[in-house]
Amino acid sequence: MPKKKIARLLKNPSPANSLHQVLGQSERVKDMVEECADDLSSVNAGLKRELTDGDISPVVENALEKTEAVEGKVQNASKELSLVNMALKEEVHERTILQEKLAAEVKQGDEARHASLHDPLTGLPNRALFNDRLEHGLAHAKRNGVSLVVMFLDLDDFKSINDTHGHDVGDIVLTTIAGRIKQASRDEDTVCRHGGDEFLYMLVEIRSERDSTTIAEKIIAMIEAPCDIRIRDINMSLVIHPSIGIASFPADGITAESLVANADKAMYQAKRNKTGYSLFSDLALSPD
């Protein structure tokens, strides 16, 4: 079943709930019919007692027969309503089970899709989702003649953290840094864990080079705030230094691959020079 149709079914009033309402109405009608049957039975019994000692005229006898016939029909209607209500209850039960299964399958599908497009450690988009959004961002930038920036971010000497303190500490550092980069980003931008201690950051509609460097400086400042870690009864404070490479569309590349590759090159330049960040445009102009 198409996902949109499933979503509509879940969003709209439940068929099981609608049937449940019908069942409630039918139960109330059944109760009214039973009350009518009881009333008719009482009336007929009273009439018979009143007429036992006297002569019964053909008209009265005929009327009594008719009311007894009506009583029988009402009782039969009550029995049929009981059968209908039992069938409705079974239908409500079956539909409720089906709806619960459908909701569980949709949730499972959404979770599987989310897992396939996000990094399991940090929860950030993975490379597949980043590449998809980057392609859409480039298409938008080309149509509207606006700029787009890709930042490639790497954590300096991160391997030593894993070697010295263990991967558990390294994972906490990565999760903390991922949260800080995400916090520094805008809603329309995309932050991705590229792999290991590398992150990618796509910024759309950046107006100037200075805007890019200002954002890079902000990210560096946030990342370099001490990471206070408590694990295995050990407290430690680690200061992480990042290196960021910046490539801009269209000046530094017009494809997703070229922008990521050039931002990567600029990042290594920043790491070598210990400058925090580097622009690919400066690297391209360097005599080296």
Side-chain angles (χ1 to χ4, degrees):
M1 183 181 294
K3 189 172 180 180
K4 289 183 178 179
K5 187 173 181 181
I6 293 174
R8 284 199 301 272
L9 286 174
L10 292 176
K11 184 177 179 181
N12 292 334
S14 161
N17 289 341
S18 299
L19 274 178
H20 188 75
Q21 292 174 357
V22 172
L23 177 59
Q25 293 170 351
S26 183
E27 290 281 9
R28 287 192 291 274
V29 172
K30 174 180 168 292
D31 291 340
M32 292 169 61
V33 171
E34 286 180 347
E35 288 178 9
C36 291
D38 290 341
D39 291 343
L40 275 169
S41 179
S42 298
V43 170
N44 290 339
L47 282 173
K48 287 178 180 179
R49 285 195 300 272
E50 290 291 332
L51 299 173
T52 298
D53 300 330
D55 294 330
I56 302 175
S57 70
V59 174
V60 173
E61 186 176 3
N62 185 49
L64 182 58
E65 289 176 355
K66 287 183 178 180
T67 58
E68 287 178 336
V70 171
E71 178 189 344
K73 289 179 180 179
V74 172
Q75 289 175 342
N76 289 335
S78 177
K79 291 177 183 178
E80 290 180 7
L81 269 173
S82 294
L83 294 174
V84 169
N85 290 344
M86 287 178 61
L88 275 173
K89 285 179 182 178
E90 291 180 3
E91 183 70 16
V92 168
H93 180 66
E94 291 177 2
R95 293 216 179 183
T96 299
I97 292 174
L98 286 173
Q99 189 171 9
E100 288 173 352
K101 287 183 178 179
L102 175 61
E105 289 177 3
V106 170
K107 181 181 179 183
Q108 188 176 23
D110 289 342
E111 289 174 349
R113 182 176 182 277
H114 184 275
S116 70
L117 296 173
H118 290 80
D119 174 56
L121 176 64
T122 63
L124 293 177
N126 60 19
R127 281 180 289 180
L129 181 54
F130 181 84
N131 289 337
D132 181 69
R133 291 184 180 177
L134 180 54
E135 292 290 354
H136 281 84
L138 283 171
H140 172 79
K142 291 172 183 177
R143 281 196 309 270
N144 296 279
V146 295
S147 183
L148 177 148
V149 169
V150 172
M151 292 187 182
F152 200 117
L153 187 150
D154 179 87
L155 305 182
D156 298 344
D157 301 319
F158 179 76
K159 184 177 182 297
S160 65
I161 294 175
N162 282 333
D163 293 342
T164 304
H165 303 290
H167 287 276
D168 289 348
V169 172
D171 287 349
I172 293 173
V173 170
L174 288 172
T175 302
T176 302
I177 298 304
R180 292 177 180 180
I181 301 172
K182 183 64 178 175
Q183 184 181 352
S185 69
R186 304 170 301 174
D187 291 341
E188 60 268 30
D189 298 336
T190 298
V191 179
C192 147
R193 185 184 178 198
H194 186 61
D197 61 323
E198 296 176 337
F199 298 87
L200 286 168
Y201 181 16
M202 178 186 73
L203 303 90
V204 297
E205 298 191 17
I206 294 297
R207 290 173 296 180
S208 68
E209 183 180 282
R210 182 55 191 159
D211 286 344
S212 299
T213 57
T214 298
I215 293 170
E217 290 167 356
K218 178 182 177 183
I219 292 173
I220 292 170
M222 293 182 71
I223 291 176
E224 289 182 341
C227 291
D228 297 322
I229 297 172
R230 296 172 178 81
I231 186 172
R232 297 188 296 271
D233 298 324
I234 299 173
N235 296 336
M236 66 182 77
S237 183
L238 300 175
V239 176
I240 312 300
H241 299 285
S243 293
I244 300 176
I246 305 171
S248 301
F249 167 86
D252 301 330
I254 59 173
T255 66
E257 293 80 4
S258 61
L259 284 170
V260 171
N262 291 338
D264 187 20
K265 292 175 183 176
M267 180 273 293
Y268 277 106
Q269 177 76 354
K271 190 180 289 287
R272 282 193 298 268
N273 297 337
K274 300 185 183 303
T275 54
Y277 68 85
S278 178
L279 296 162
F280 179 75
S281 56
D282 292 341
L283 178 62
L285 294 174
S286 172
D288 297 335

